[in-house]
């Protein structure tokens, strides 16, 4: 069917006395079509008055559409099987014109942000070569929505601790705080709900209050709302990670920061500006950082093992040997691990970023080669037993060698016997037990009780108890 422009051209050329043959040749149409336009003498495109082939089957199409769960291929097969003479193209065109299974297109929009209004944060997995091995990492990214300033770092995992570490670094890098931080409904921040109904974890809500921002989340499936931070991930993968290898986590994140500095100072075609230049305007609208920013940390109670190490995330960190068997408090920060026995005793190690089953040993925690470590002091229970009853010293030595119980528990039980029972029955029972090599303290206690009963609870057989 000829368009309105073609019809107008035909009428204009006819007024200039151009022949019908020439008009048809110039426009690439038939002379019959030219005659019809000249006969109608109108530029209006006539409406197509033609019945649709699928119209008689409309009700059947609607029923089959529900039965076939929206699969038009199956709908067409069932129609043809029922005797309908209808092509698949005619069916899809009919459904499209009448809105059967087709939602009307929605025009795309855009989000505009004022300076200092919002920062978007998200994570994405990427593969890279780290320490000579291919591995998957979690890339955390943050973008200022107005100036498009980008900051990202990589982590072996991304937990709540890592999220707080990253956001602290990001806010320091940007030199200020926005009003809100948009997230992608991540479980690291979200306690319950989604979108506008999202309620953050109290720990993360308190973290945001410390800096003066609020966590918000977009509706599930509405990735366009966080498009500022979604777009750079492909850029990071295709530019920063392409062809680069890294020796360690420190090397990876330091080079990532340097790459961000370079990218933020480069002209961007899609915004027609340099992010650093826009940031000069946005920085004036950012909230200032707190005067003091506390270091992000995690606390763990631990017991020093028999080898003089403290376990954390499958790695083991050394402590002085005289801490063996004692309880310590472990503080894990971004770069270090602090192990504290009390207010005066503290050990600091470099933190291993991931679970590598490594031993981290400081030289001062081990004696020089060929020199034995000093033997620890005797158990306090042993000292208390020998002080109260020096006659038991030989029995205590045998008990430590041959007892089937944990030595500390055995010594505590023997100390209880010393404190609770009379001295003579106790010493007599211990001498007898030592003569026969008996170090079962439960049996020793029964022997003491028999002696106590015999010596202290004798009853007169001839007395009348009436």
């Amino acid at each position: 069917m000829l368009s309105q422009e073609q019809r107008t051209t035909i009428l204009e050329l006819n007024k200039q006395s151009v022949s019908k043959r020439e008009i048809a040749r110039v426009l690439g149409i038939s002379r019959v079509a030219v005659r019809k336009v000249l006969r109608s003498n109108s530029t209006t495109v006539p409406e197509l008055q033609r019945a649709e082939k699928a119209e008689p089957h409309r009700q059947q199409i609607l029923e089959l559409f529900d039965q076939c769960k929206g699969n038009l291929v199956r709908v067409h097969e069932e129609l043809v099987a029922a005797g309908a003479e209808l092509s698949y193209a005619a069916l899809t065109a009919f459904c499209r014109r009448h809105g059967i299974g087709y939602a009307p297109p929605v025009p795309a929009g855009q989000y505009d942000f004022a300076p200092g209004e919002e920062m978007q944060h998200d994570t994405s997995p990427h593969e890279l070569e780290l320490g000579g091995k291919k591995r998957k990492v979690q890339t955390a990214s943050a973008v200022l929505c107005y100036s498009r300033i980008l900051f990202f770092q990589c982590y072996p995992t991304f937990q709540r601790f890592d999220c707080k570490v990253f956001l602290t670094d990001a806010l320091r890098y940007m030199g200020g705080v926005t009003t809100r931080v948009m997230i992608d409904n991540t479980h690291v921040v979200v306690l319950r709900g989604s979108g506008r109904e999202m309620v953050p974890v109290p720990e993360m809500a308190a973290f945001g209050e410390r800096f003066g921002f609020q966590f918000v989340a977009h509706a599930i499936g509405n990735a366009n709302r966080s498009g500022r931070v979604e777009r750079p991930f492909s850029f990071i993968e295709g530019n920063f990670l392409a062809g680069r290898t890294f020796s360690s986590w420190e090397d990876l994140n330091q080079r990532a920061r340097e790459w961000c500095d370079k990218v933020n100072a480069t002209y961007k075609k899609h915004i027609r500006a340099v992010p650093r230049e826009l940031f000069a305007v946005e920085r004036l609208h950012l909230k200032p950082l707190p005067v003091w920013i506390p270091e992000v940390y995690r606390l763990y109670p631990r017991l020093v093992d028999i080898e003089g190490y403290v376990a954390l995330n499958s790695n083991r960190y050394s402590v002085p040997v005289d801490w063996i068997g004692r309880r310590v408090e472990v503080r894990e920060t971004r770069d270090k691990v602090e192990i504290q026995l009390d207010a005066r005793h503290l050990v600091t190690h470099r933190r291993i970023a991931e679970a590598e089953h490594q031993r981290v040993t400081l030289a001062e925690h081990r004696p020089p080669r060929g020199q034995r470590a000093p033997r620890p002091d005797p158990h306090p229970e042993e000292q208390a037993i020998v002080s109260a009853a020096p006659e038991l010293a030989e029995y205590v030595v045998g008990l430590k060698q041959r007892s089937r119980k944990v030595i500390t528990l055995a010594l505590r039980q023997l100390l209880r016997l010393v404190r609770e029972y009379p001295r003579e029955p106790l010493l007599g029972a211990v001498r007898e037990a030592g003569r026969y090599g008996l170090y079962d303290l439960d049996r020793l206690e029964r022997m003491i009780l028999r002696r106590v009963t015999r010596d202290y609870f004798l009853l007169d057989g001839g007395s009348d108890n009436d």
Side-chain angles (χ1 to χ4, degrees), residues 241-257:
L241 298 179
R244 284 188 172 94
T245 60
F246 309 95
S247 59
S248 64
W249 289 101
E250 292 79 7
D251 175 48
L252 168 60
N253 286 325
Q254 179 60 34
R255 291 168 69 179
R257 183 183 290 265

Side-chain angles (χ1 to χ4, degrees), residues 54 56 101 192 211 233 241 273 286 330 345:
R192 64 177 181 272
F211 286 95
F233 283 127
L241 298 179
L286 295 176
V330 181
H345 298 86

Side-chain angles (χ1 to χ4, degrees), residues 52 54-55 57-67 69-72 75 79 86 88 90-104:
E52 297 182 277
E55 185 61 37
H57 308 286
R58 180 185 181 87
Q59 188 59 35
Q60 188 178 4
I61 291 173
L62 293 173
E63 294 174 358
L64 289 173
F65 187 83
D66 292 335
Q67 294 176 10
K69 299 180 180 181
N71 191 324
L72 291 181
V75 171
L79 284 174
L86 181 67
Y88 178 72
L91 172 63
T92 55
F94 176 80
C95 292
R96 186 165 50 251
R97 282 192 295 268
H98 293 272
I100 302 175
Y102 289 92

Side-chain angles (χ1 to χ4, degrees), residues 290-449:
V291 177
W292 177 69
I293 301 177
E295 192 172 21
V296 180
Y297 65 89
R298 286 188 288 199
L299 283 179
Y300 307 90
R302 288 291 187 269
L303 188 68
V304 181
D305 64 22
I306 195 170
E307 296 182 10
Y309 288 88
V310 172
L312 180 65
N313 301 329
S314 85
N315 299 307
R316 302 174 69 193
Y317 299 88
S318 68
V319 296
V321 293
D322 56 350
W323 292 16
I324 292 176
R326 305 184 69 176
R327 292 194 175 276
V328 295
E329 184 180 76
V330 181
R331 180 188 296 259
E332 179 187 17
T333 65
R334 183 187 65 177
D335 301 317
K336 59 187 178 181
V337 173
E338 297 177 342
I339 307 172
Q340 185 170 11
L341 178 64
D342 52 38
R344 295 182 178 86
H345 298 86
L346 178 68
V347 173
T348 303
H349 289 273
R350 181 184 63 83
R351 175 177 176 260
I352 300 177
E354 57 184 327
E356 296 181 353
H357 303 279
Q358 291 188 14
R359 285 192 181 193
V360 182
T361 306
L362 298 182
E364 59 267 25
H365 296 162
R366 293 295 176 266
R369 185 179 296 275
Q371 177 182 340
R372 296 183 60 185
R375 306 189 76 176
D377 295 335
H379 295 273
E381 293 84 358
E382 180 180 356
Q383 295 179 350
I385 292 170
V386 175
S387 298
E391 300 87 348
L392 301 184
E394 184 178 351
Y395 187 80
V396 169
V397 174
L399 178 67
K400 291 169 63 177
Q401 295 175 352
R402 301 175 61 180
S403 175
R404 295 184 179 181
K405 291 186 177 181
V406 176
I407 186 59
T408 302
L409 300 180
L411 291 174
R412 287 177 183 173
Q413 185 176 359
L414 181 57
L415 179 61
R416 179 181 62 81
L417 299 180
V418 171
R419 290 173 174 173
E420 292 182 356
Y421 293 106
R423 184 181 183 86
E424 291 303 325
L426 171 70
L427 295 178
V430 169
R431 281 194 297 269
E432 183 180 357
R435 186 165 58 251
Y436 293 104
L438 176 63
Y439 294 97
D440 184 344
L441 296 182
D442 295 329
R443 292 187 62 185
L444 176 64
E445 186 171 12
R446 290 197 293 271
M447 293 168 62
I448 297 173
L449 287 173

